[in-house]
Amino acid sequence: MKKTIHNSAIWLLALLMVTFGLNKFFGFIPVTPPVDAIAQNFMGAMFTSYLYVVVAIAEIVGGILLVLPKTKFMGWLLLLPVIFNIVAFHMAHDFIGNGIWLVPTILYGAITYLQFNNIKKSLIHGFV
């Protein structure tokens, strides 16, 4: 049962990350601007700079790496700053927002919890 939940969380998070990453290039999901003026300025600056493309590529590549068994850890690691930024932005500026930001956050947390021993092992032995 634990393995099924883990695999489902990985595939769902990967699907979300790839979808939202591709949306940054193609715009098939409309994004409503946040209400907060500071958040609007931040989003405007991000949309008009290289950062938007970097985040989109990180989401797409991280999602793909997450579903491949040999690169699962690298995908998890690549998505860490993306998920952190999503949480930090919404906690500071747009907490209520559309609520969809909670889904990847919860999935990432579940994957981290279910894979904690493997992540710890990779961090200790993977970089030696």
Side-chain angles (χ1 to χ4, degrees):
M1 180 71 167
K2 182 178 174 182
K3 187 171 178 97
T4 304
I5 293 170
H6 179 252
N7 287 336
S8 299
I10 285 176
W11 278 95
L12 188 55
L13 180 62
L15 179 66
L16 282 172
M17 290 293 106
V18 170
T19 302
F20 288 129
L22 289 173
N23 186 53
K24 287 178 177 51
F25 291 116
F26 301 113
F28 49 87
I29 301 171
V31 178
T32 58
V35 179
D36 185 38
I38 295 172
Q40 288 177 357
N41 290 338
F42 174 76
M43 294 301 283
M46 191 171 141
F47 288 150
T48 58
S49 72
Y50 70 92
L51 189 57
Y52 198 64
V53 174
V54 169
V55 171
I57 291 170
E59 288 176 353
I60 294 166
V61 172
I64 292 169
L65 291 176
L66 195 60
V67 297
L68 301 173
K70 291 197 182 271
T71 60
K72 188 184 301 183
F73 177 70
M74 289 306 295
W76 176 86
L77 203 57
L78 184 59
L79 289 177
L80 179 62
V82 174
I83 298 295
F84 177 81
N85 188 50
I86 291 169
V87 172
F89 173 80
H90 285 285
M91 293 295 265
H93 299 292
D94 192 30
F95 184 72
I96 295 176
N98 58 10
I100 194 70
W101 67 276
L102 289 171
V103 176
T105 304
I106 292 168
L107 289 171
Y108 191 86
I111 292 167
T112 302
Y113 175 76
L114 293 170
Q115 281 292 109
F116 185 74
N117 288 333
N118 291 342
I119 291 168
K120 186 171 64 172
K121 204 180 307 180
S122 294
L123 286 173
I124 293 170
H125 300 296
F127 298 113
V128 178

